[in-house]
Amino acid sequence: MNHFPEAWGRPRNDVYGAYDHSYLQTTGPKAHTSSPAVTGTSVVGVKFNGGVAIATDNLASYGSLARFSDVKRLRTFGDKAIVGFGGDVSDMQYLDRLLASMDINENYSPRGNMLNAKNLHTYLAKVFYKRRSEFNPLWNHVLVAGFDGEGEPFLSSADLLGTTFSAPHLATGFGAHLAVPILRRKFPEGMPLEEISQEDAVQALKDCLKVLFYRDARSIDKYSIAVVTKDGIDLKEDEQIQGQSWAFAERIKGYGAQTV
Amino acid sequence: MFRNNYDNDAVTFSPQGRIFQVEYAQEAVKQGSVVVGLVNKTHAVLVGLKRNAEELSSYQKKIIEIDSHMAIAIAGLASDARVLSNFMKQQSLGSKMTYGRPIPLDRIVSQIGDRAQTNTQHYGKRPYGVGLLVAGVDEAGPHLFEFQPSGLTQEMAACAIGARSQMARTYLERNLDKFDGCSRDELIQHGLSALKETLSQDKELTVDNTSVGVVGVTNGKKESFKLYEGQDTAALLEVLEQRESAGAEAESMEVDS
């Protein structure tokens, strides 16, 4: 998997060979929605005993430029579901409006919004798939956190192609490379959810975000973190990565103006 | 000769503020054979009296399953009911497809309500000539809704529509307090008793003319809609007969003492 959002959904060069651009027309159909512009990087999520924790940093990059450093990429839906957005920020804003109108619509019924995280994830995956089938994809990779119809903790991903994936812990973008191995070490396969406490899950996310800040050049040290439990959502949007140590950077050579 | 000038279409009010076409549609519901619905905290029950056009023909279906969590009972034009039930089946399937959840009852009922209302406000259209009882379960539990050709929809604790349905409504009103403490089977029996009230002297409930539909929750788990028709209703009707004779005995004993 390639962590650059602009490469998502494209045939891999190392598998299919370089794309033959002679097939591309310079004139033709509108193409400005077929690559992301302002992007958010990884989303990380972990299920624990009685809920789900999910986190993103607060940066929206314009290419490699850290363009907007205060963009909240976690959105609540109803009182027990959270969506974490990676990828294009304008498409995130579109989906946010879509979900807001859906929430209003749901609240017309006497019992209020009864859509749970699983319903929401199914819906989002359909929206993504519809849009990619129209060759007008929403350039996002999202994690949906909350509860399913049985009241069990729910965490699942959906991407710009409508692909869905589910696991006890998930990460999108660069996090799929850097955060998932950390999470797999902390919470090995087969470890029952009952043995993972909320504190462990939150701490694991913080550790992941720190590593991501160290090594992902599209990240920032300000982040949002949300914990969904039966009691509701605890969303914090102005957090700061604590206890950084850049000592390891001393040993890194080969970049910038240094002459070894 | 007196002629009503205000009933040519469904968009014209009479000077008294009535819309005759809609009222005529409601008459069509009263011509249909009776259906009864009732609900308590765990179950929703539909019972219907089926009619056959002639001795040799089959009986007209009165209860239509929309999805595993809901069904409708119809009184009036069966062909209009088919249009509505097909629409409801589509909406229900659509909800399962896009959200992965069974459609909430109030949602689908207001959808058919909106459709029916539209038909009373557009020139060249006519109202549906059918009334429905919609019974089902969703996250909020069991529900029963009444739907009328005017587009009016209401949530009901118990309801009866169709020919001679007033007798059934009277039964339901008298016994309303008992429903909440009822088991699934007892609720069915109350439905059948209400249905029986509507029968004329020379008629009785048989396995051929009785339909029963039940949907509900047991111990927090949804139980799928179950339709009893033909021989499946025999056991239910037997219980009804036993209850009636036991009730009659108790009454006569009271008279004796």
Side-chain angles (χ1 to χ4, degrees):
Chain A
M1 191 171 160
N2 191 324
H3 64 271
F4 292 115
E6 55 272 19
W8 296 354
R10 295 204 186 284
R12 287 168 55 183
N13 287 357
D14 56 335
V15 176
Y16 298 101
Y19 190 78
D20 181 2
H21 287 273
S22 65
Y23 289 110
L24 284 179
Q25 296 166 286
T26 45
T27 58
K30 195 165 66 174
H32 68 256
T33 58
S34 57
S35 69
V38 177
T39 58
T41 181
S42 321
V43 187
V44 197
V46 185
K47 282 204 269 193
F48 60 84
N49 187 13
V52 193
I54 184 170
T56 66
D57 70 21
N58 289 350
L59 179 68
S61 309
Y62 182 57
S64 61
L65 173 70
R67 181 64 183 84
F68 304 103
S69 55
D70 193 22
V71 174
K72 313 293 158 50
R73 297 195 284 125
L74 293 180
R75 297 297 153 96
T76 60
F77 181 77
D79 52 1
K80 281 190 191 61
I82 285 264
V83 188
F85 290 90
D88 193 275
V89 170
S90 63
D91 286 350
M92 170 187 94
Q93 290 170 339
Y94 166 79
L95 284 170
D96 189 35
R97 287 195 293 274
L98 190 73
L99 295 186
S101 77
M102 209 163 86
D103 184 52
I104 290 169
N105 236 325
E106 276 291 305
N107 275 299
Y108 280 118
S109 67
R111 289 256 305 190
N113 188 345
M114 290 198 287
L115 287 171
N116 57 41
K118 195 177 182 186
N119 299 144
L120 178 64
H121 174 258
T122 310
Y123 175 73
L124 281 174
K126 303 283 187 233
V127 172
F128 281 129
Y129 184 69
K130 176 177 180 285
R131 289 291 295 265
R132 82 104 220 193
S133 299
E134 291 168 349
F135 290 97
N136 185 19
L138 292 164
W139 220 275
N140 297 105
H141 193 163
V142 302
L143 294 189
V144 183
F147 294 94
D148 65 13
E150 271 71 54
E152 296 295 320
F154 177 86
L155 175 67
S156 199
S157 84
D159 71 5
L160 73 171
L161 301 174
T163 315
T164 60
F165 191 76
S166 188
H169 41 255
L170 284 171
T172 73
F174 218 135
H177 304 272
L178 289 177
V180 167
I182 298 170
L183 295 170
R184 283 190 184 155
R185 195 174 64 232
K186 284 179 189 279
F187 313 117
E189 195 176 353
M191 184 176 180
L193 215 55
E194 289 71 36
E195 287 176 18
I196 304 173
S197 70
Q198 179 176 329
E199 292 71 33
D200 289 347
V202 168
Q203 190 53 48
L205 288 188
K206 289 179 179 172
D207 293 350
C208 288
L209 287 171
K210 193 193 287 182
V211 171
L212 282 165
F213 177 55
Y214 286 153
R215 319 227 74 133
D216 178 1
R218 306 288 174 269
S219 70
I220 200 174
D221 57 351
K222 286 186 292 181
Y223 66 96
S224 307
I225 188 163
V227 176
V228 197
T229 58
K230 280 271 144 59
D231 303 327
I233 297 168
D234 177 25
L235 173 62
K236 299 199 198 84
E237 288 187 312
D238 285 302
E239 301 295 288
Q240 168 78 34
I241 291 176
Q242 302 294 333
Q244 292 175 38
S245 164
W246 287 86
F248 72 94
E250 291 288 315
R251 292 176 285 110
I252 297 176
K253 300 263 156 83
Y255 293 101
Q258 17 175 325
T259 48
V260 183
Chain B
M1 271 295 277
F2 169 76
R3 205 175 133 252
N4 190 348
N5 289 314
Y6 298 100
D7 67 353
N8 289 315
D9 55 64
V11 300
T12 310
F13 277 107
S14 82
Q16 287 76 37
R18 297 162 63 180
I19 299 171
F20 282 102
Q21 281 293 326
V22 173
E23 293 184 21
Y24 297 161
Q26 273 159 335
E27 285 306 311
V29 178
K30 290 183 196 159
Q31 312 261 336
S33 68
V34 63
V35 285
V36 178
L38 55 167
V39 68
N40 66 11
K41 290 204 174 70
T42 59
H43 288 86
V45 170
L46 295 173
V47 296
L49 182 69
K50 290 186 286 186
R51 272 200 297 227
N52 53 350
E54 49 181 298
E55 200 57 38
L56 297 175
S57 76
S58 64
Y59 286 77
Q60 173 61 46
K61 207 168 156 189
K62 295 294 283 181
I63 299 175
I64 302 169
E65 180 175 346
I66 301 298
D67 202 338
S68 58
H69 74 295
M70 117 176 112
I72 58 169
I74 64 176
L77 301 183
S79 37
D80 282 10
R82 216 173 69 84
V83 171
L84 282 170
S85 68
N86 285 343
F87 171 75
M88 290 170 84
K89 284 174 187 177
Q90 277 192 12
Q91 293 298 315
S92 191
L93 227 47
S95 174
K96 279 220 174 120
M97 169 85 188
T98 43
Y99 302 102
R101 74 159 172 186
I103 195 165
L105 268 278
D106 63 280
R107 184 71 55 90
I108 194 162
V109 167
S110 63
Q111 278 179 0
I112 56 169
D114 290 351
R115 262 172 82 105
Q117 196 281 334
T118 307
N119 287 345
T120 67
Q121 220 181 4
H122 285 274
Y123 191 80
K125 287 190 182 282
R126 67 162 174 84
Y128 290 112
V130 69
L132 305 179
L133 296 180
V134 185
V137 277
D138 57 26
E139 269 127 286
H143 297 282
L144 174 71
F145 286 89
E146 180 194 9
F147 160 89
Q148 289 178 9
S150 57
L152 182 95
T153 59
Q154 281 174 300
E155 177 149 23
M156 308 293 280
C159 187
I161 53 173
R164 300 165 62 92
S165 59
Q166 183 54 53
M167 300 295 287
R169 276 201 296 280
T170 307
Y171 176 92
L172 294 172
E173 282 162 19
R174 288 212 178 117
N175 293 280
L176 187 64
D177 303 338
K178 297 176 191 162
F179 298 161
D180 254 347
C182 267
S183 69
R184 176 184 191 273
D185 295 339
E186 285 165 346
L187 200 63
I188 294 174
Q189 291 303 322
H190 278 299
L192 288 171
S193 298
L195 191 68
K196 198 169 184 186
E197 293 285 320
T198 68
L199 298 177
S200 53
Q201 287 287 314
D202 55 333
K203 283 262 183 59
E204 56 182 294
L205 293 179
T206 67
V207 292
D208 294 317
N209 69 9
T210 311
S211 273
V212 179
V214 197
V215 65
V217 275
T218 30
N219 305 326
K221 262 195 90 113
K222 283 184 192 172
E223 79 184 63
S224 292
F225 176 75
K226 173 104 174 82
L227 181 63
Y228 298 88
E229 275 187 311
Q231 282 307 319
D232 292 342
T233 61
L236 302 174
L237 292 173
E238 211 166 289
V239 176
L240 178 70
E241 206 157 299
Q242 283 164 9
R243 277 168 54 106
E244 303 257 309
S245 55
E249 257 173 51
E251 250 173 59
S252 62
M253 265 154 55
E254 263 172 57
V255 175
D256 284 348
S257 60

